[in-house]
Amino acid sequence: MRYTLVAVGVTLLAHSAYAIFPTPLKFSKDGTFQISIFEDLHFGENAWESWGPAQDTKSVAVLNSVLDAESRPNLVVLNGDLITGENTFLENSTAYIDRIVAPLVARGLPWASTYGNHDSQFNLSSTALLARENRYRNSLTRSMVPGREAGVTNYYLPVYESGIRWPWSAPKLLLWFFDSRGGGYFQERDGDGNEVPRPNWVDESVVRWFRRTNNALTARWRRTIPSLVFVHIPTNASRAAQTEDGIGQYTEPGINDDYALAQQGEGWCEDGTNNNEKCPYGGQDTAFMEALVEIPGILGVFSGHDHGDTWCYKWDTQIPGMSIKGNGVNLCFGQHSGYGGYGNWIRGARQVLVSEDALKRGELDTWIRLEDGAVVGTVELNATYGEDLYPATPNDKTYL
Ligand SMILES: *[C@@H]1O[C@H](CO)[C@@H](O)[C@H](O)[C@H]1NC(C)=O
Ligand SMILES: *[C@@H]1O[C@H](CO)[C@@H](O)[C@H](O)[C@H]1NC(C)=O
Ligand SMILES: *[C@@H]1O[C@H](CO)[C@@H](O)[C@H](O)[C@H]1NC(C)=O
Ligand SMILES: *[C@@H]1O[C@H](CO)[C@@H](O)[C@H](O)[C@H]1NC(C)=O
């Protein structure tokens, strides 16, 4: 009896220690850290028709084939629009998480999510989505900024050198995750009975937290720590890059079919009211864009949302018409990973390889692994990215 109690006590202690100090992310022994980014999986469409569940089966196959082809990613990022919340039922909206993460759980892979505009809807609570994810110990998704306006998936994860046992040393890399919100508020209606739209940009309270937390980390470790940013909806800088500077098929290889692309602040007026007809863009992502170029060490910003765009662009110039000047940060899309959501571009997932060596030069390697096993768009995001010539990416389609 006494031994049983001791055993239970030790188990409970181990569990709470795990909750407080989860296994830290670490570079592999060969000095690399690979991230596999799945975006726009859009599970849960039309459960009452055969094509909805059939899409989800195909999306699971995409996850499996990409993860089989990539030897061993250190982290999977689910970069928004995991579920199409407009189509799901109040009773079981968050249950789709179990299907999405099954291939990750089976491989023992940790993952971290950002939520997209379809992940917060009248029948889908993004807070409940986080709770569902956090039932799995492999889920590293967190919420570090309180308040209804902040959204949910605003947090960072440190990555340490290989071999570290306890995180007492400086992280080698920081991964920042942001909630660009959008969609609608869970179970809320306005006076006229309409669902309440949710602003679609990174809230200023979150930008203040970003700057404050980064300052604290920089002061604590007395150095700039290289970092990557994940956010579902891209900023106006990506849009301006596309429409004002231009995306070259050999210099920024990738599909460029969503033209002009949808950005944060789309459909909102400068005064903060929602009006899709009158206000194409309200400029509310300015504070976030300023932070992206002013905080030192940010090497790349990875977005989804625009299923038909898969390129990376180095924001190192004054883009005509833009008041904010880039500092060399790479703005990248991934690849539409799910069979849900609009568009038939071949499914896949962007891979990002960070090596301790290349990090010293501020460089990243990236490519897209397609569902058929092929690799496209392999580029080196180094100092001359944007001038170097690469093969153009084929624009293939796949169907259900
Ligand atoms: C929300 O879920 C309820 C209960 O399943 C369903 O009757 C309703 O149609 C859904 N509403 C929306 C807007 O999806
Ligand atoms: C949610 O409920 C609907 C209606 O009962 C069902 O068709 C669907 O398969 C359920 N989804 C999940 C993930 O359990
Ligand atoms: C957004 O981009 C457009 C060009 O597409 C530019 O004219 C505008 O000034 C930009 N807005 C901000 C806030 O930088
Ligand atoms: C960047 O990478 C490309 C492709 O590997 C290479 O051709 C180019 O020389 C590199 N630039 C620098 C500055 O290392």
Side-chain angles (χ1 to χ4, degrees):
M1 181 65 190
R2 190 182 296 163
Y3 291 110
T4 316
L5 280 179
V6 168
V8 168
V10 167
T11 311
L12 283 177
L13 214 77
H15 271 277
S16 46
Y18 178 77
I20 304 165
F21 305 107
T23 315
L25 291 171
K26 290 182 278 193
F27 278 76
S28 299
K29 285 203 188 70
D30 68 357
T32 63
F33 187 84
Q34 185 179 333
I35 306 172
S36 209
I37 309 171
F38 294 87
E39 54 152 268
D40 296 284
L41 286 159
H42 281 279
F43 272 67
E45 294 185 353
N46 292 36
W48 56 94
E49 288 183 271
S50 63
W51 61 262
Q55 283 184 169
D56 294 351
T57 303
K58 294 274 275 185
S59 303
V60 170
V62 174
L63 283 154
N64 280 319
S65 61
V66 167
L67 294 173
D68 283 346
E70 293 299 333
S71 48
R72 178 87 208 166
N74 299 74
L75 176 72
V76 168
V77 170
L78 302 173
N79 209 9
D81 286 358
L82 285 65
I83 296 170
T84 302
E86 296 93 311
N87 296 8
T88 56
F89 299 96
L90 183 60
E91 304 79 50
N92 67 0
S93 283
T94 61
Y96 290 95
I97 280 293
D98 301 349
R99 301 206 57 199
I100 297 172
V101 306
L104 315 181
V105 173
R107 289 170 176 80
L109 294 172
W111 74 84
S113 307
T114 69
Y115 294 154
N117 45 305
H118 293 276
D119 297 315
S120 180
Q121 294 287 339
F122 188 76
N123 272 351
L124 173 57
S125 151
S126 45
T127 314
L129 199 56
L130 177 65
R132 186 87 183 196
E133 266 199 51
N134 284 169
R135 287 185 185 183
Y136 296 90
R137 51 183 286 159
N138 294 18
S139 169
L140 303 181
T141 309
R142 296 290 180 267
S143 185
M144 293 185 176
V145 188
R148 178 180 184 268
E149 293 311 317
V152 174
T153 55
N154 300 295
Y155 60 107
Y156 76 94
L157 295 172
V159 184
Y160 298 93
E161 65 194 323
S162 93
I164 192 173
R165 286 181 172 277
W166 209 246
W168 299 136
S169 64
K172 286 270 178 222
L173 176 71
L174 297 175
L175 307 175
W176 296 91
F177 301 85
F178 295 97
D179 191 338
S180 48
R181 304 180 293 161
Y185 286 103
F186 178 63
Q187 296 289 300
E188 284 186 29
R189 291 193 194 280
D190 65 15
D192 302 325
N194 297 316
E195 293 173 21
V196 184
R198 201 159 159 258
N200 59 1
W201 58 87
V202 176
D203 188 58
E204 284 197 37
S205 67
V206 175
V207 177
R208 285 193 297 274
W209 165 84
F210 183 21
R211 287 182 182 272
R212 201 168 59 233
T213 309
N214 185 75
N215 283 344
L217 289 165
T218 306
R220 166 72 184 82
W221 301 112
R222 293 195 204 89
R223 74 189 74 167
T224 295
I225 303 168
S227 52
L228 306 182
V229 166
F230 300 88
V231 61
H232 180 67
I233 309 180
T235 64
N236 188 63
S238 297
R239 163 108 167 200
Q242 188 192 43
T243 61
E244 309 305 315
D245 194 18
I247 300 304
Q249 60 174 323
Y250 304 113
T251 46
E252 286 95 10
I255 298 169
N256 189 29
D257 281 353
D258 270 328
Y259 188 97
L261 63 85
Q263 70 209 328
Q264 295 184 24
E266 184 182 68
W268 290 79
C269 310
E270 278 176 39
D271 67 4
T273 55
N274 179 247
N275 192 322
N276 291 313
E277 286 75 42
K278 291 215 183 80
C279 301
Y281 170 60
Q284 290 90 347
D285 58 348
T286 304
F288 183 55
M289 285 193 287
E290 282 169 351
L292 291 177
V293 295
E294 286 169 16
I295 292 178
I298 302 176
L299 302 178
V301 181
F302 298 87
S303 302
H305 192 60
D306 293 282
H307 304 176
D309 289 335
T310 70
W311 39 263
C312 289
Y313 171 87
K314 185 179 283 296
W315 185 17
D316 58 356
T317 49
Q318 181 83 55
I319 304 175
M322 273 203 84
S323 49
I324 306 168
K325 194 177 182 303
N327 63 349
V329 61
N330 297 290
L331 309 176
C332 292
F333 286 97
Q335 183 94 15
H336 184 197
S337 310
Y339 271 78
Y342 74 91
N344 292 305
W345 298 281
I346 187 168
R347 277 64 174 188
R350 178 174 294 284
Q351 311 298 313
V352 181
L353 187 75
V354 188
S355 77
E356 289 186 24
D357 208 36
L359 218 45
K360 291 180 192 132
R361 303 187 297 274
E363 297 174 358
L364 302 171
D365 285 299
T366 184
W367 63 94
I368 288 170
R369 176 70 67 173
L370 298 174
E371 57 186 322
D372 63 6
V375 169
V376 296
T378 305
V379 299
E380 228 176 292
L381 299 174
N382 59 18
T384 49
Y385 181 71
E387 295 158 32
D388 301 325
L389 298 181
Y390 292 100
T393 296
N395 190 342
D396 292 332
K397 306 272 168 47
T398 48
Y399 302 88
L400 189 60

